[in-house]
């Protein structure tokens, strides 16, 4: 199984994940190896390999992913203390799964990256 198909199969409910939000466009679920007390992945329901594959036609998905990530942060009560949203793109950034995904991290003081 290529690693991109793990997320495809989560969207299709062929493998289990702790899904915390879903709609016609996106699915959000808990990361299997959480790096923070709240670590949720938000992915499009259609396959997009990485940020490099965002184009005129599919770009609106990013706004929706951000909007839902912020709503989840509020629901999880991490918005006031703060949280981080990360999208890794390709190998220098450490993208392991070739399927566009947004990380929502919070619930503790996160180490500063930049
Ligand atoms: P990346 O390094 O590609 O930005 O992040 C991939 C993330 O996917 C990692 O944080 C990893 O723990 C998570 N992950 C990998 N395989 C699975 C899986 O089968 N289920 C879930 N829920 N998360 C996964």
């Amino acid at each position: 199984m290529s690693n991109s198909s793990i997320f495809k199969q989560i969207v299709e409910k062929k493998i289990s994940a702790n899904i915390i939000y879903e709609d016609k466009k996106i699915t959000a679920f808990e990361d299997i190896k959480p790096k923070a007390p709240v670590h949720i992945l938000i992915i499009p329901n259609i396959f997009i390999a990485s940020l490099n594959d965002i184009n005129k036609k599919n770009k609106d998905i990013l706004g929706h992913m951000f909007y839902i990530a912020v709503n989840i942060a509020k629901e999880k009560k991490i918005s006031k203390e703060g949280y981080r949203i990360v999208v890794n793109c390709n190998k220098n950034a450490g993208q392991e799964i070739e399927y566009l995904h947004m990380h929502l991290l919070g619930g503790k003081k996160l180490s500063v990256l930049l």
Side-chain angles (χ1 to χ4, degrees), residues 3 6-7 10 15-18 29-35 39 41 86-89 93-99 101 103:
N3 69 9
I6 295 171
F7 286 1
I10 287 174
I15 60 171
S16 70
N18 196 359
F29 52 96
E30 287 178 353
D31 195 290
I32 205 166
K33 284 187 195 158
K35 319 296 184 294
H39 188 173
L41 300 174
V86 175
V87 183
N88 293 321
C89 181
Q95 182 181 2
E96 284 172 9
I97 306 276
E98 196 192 348
Y99 191 123
H101 52 281
H103 297 256

